[in-house]
Amino acid sequence: MLDGADGVMGVITEQIEARFDMSFAELSRAVTAAPQANREATDVVRWHGMLAESQTVLENAEGSLLAELESQPSELDDRAMEMAHRVNAAVTARDGRAMVMRWLLDPDAPGKQNLAAERLARLSQGARKGPAVQTSAPARPANAPAATGRGALR
């Protein structure tokens, strides 16, 4: 992955603009005005926001770590190591979101052209209104005997 906000965010934003043939600001306004008009555009704008958020978290973590390192003698303490781990976690989160963005922007990406992808698309559009599994006991038919609690065998 690329480092820095301009690197990752710039490349992803350019890919979005090329994919939708408009500026990101225009796309964002269009999605805000009609989020159901183009599900793909809505997902891209949503994930771009999450990517930008993770980039901000990363920059803040890096800034805190640099400030801590500048105040440290040559040997690192537990606090500095914890901050370094936070930076690593922030990089992982940012890079993961960037990979999702790349997948969303690639119409030929693996998993987009099969039955599983079609099912996922239906689910993400809210096709199912209830739980996937029945969560209550089925209604007893009027002519069925009442349950005794003793089991099926007597």
Side-chain angles (χ1 to χ4, degrees):
M1 288 278 128
L2 298 168
D3 286 331
D6 291 337
V8 173
M9 295 302 297
V11 168
I12 296 289
T13 301
E14 286 176 10
Q15 291 173 349
I16 292 169
E17 292 173 345
R19 173 81 170 84
F20 291 95
D21 197 29
M22 64 176 67
S23 73
F24 183 76
E26 292 171 322
L27 180 64
S28 186
R29 283 191 299 271
V31 164
T32 300
Q36 299 303 323
N38 184 329
R39 186 71 184 163
E40 181 183 10
T42 301
D43 287 344
V44 165
V45 169
R46 185 177 122 246
W47 276 94
H48 186 273
M50 291 190 305
L51 176 61
E53 178 184 309
S54 64
Q55 181 64 42
T56 300
V57 168
L58 172 58
E59 290 169 359
N60 291 338
E62 286 174 332
S64 296
L65 176 60
L66 286 175
E68 182 69 19
L69 292 175
E70 288 172 354
S71 69
Q72 290 277 324
S74 62
E75 198 170 306
L76 296 179
D77 62 9
D78 290 341
R79 178 178 160 84
M81 288 304 294
E82 177 60 33
M83 292 176 130
H85 289 302
R86 284 189 203 141
V87 169
N88 284 338
V91 167
T92 300
R94 190 268 322 263
D95 289 353
R97 289 177 177 181
M99 286 190 298
V100 170
M101 289 295 307
R102 289 182 62 194
W103 185 84
L104 287 170
L105 293 170
D106 182 358
D108 298 321
K112 285 193 169 182
Q113 305 299 322
N114 60 26
L115 183 58
E118 291 173 20
R119 288 180 182 160
L120 180 61
R122 282 194 304 267
L123 288 175
S124 70
Q125 293 173 359
R128 184 188 324 156
K129 300 297 181 200
V133 178
Q134 186 172 348
T135 58
S136 60
R140 185 173 57 92
N143 61 351
T148 62
R150 296 183 192 187
L153 300 174
R154 292 187 189 187

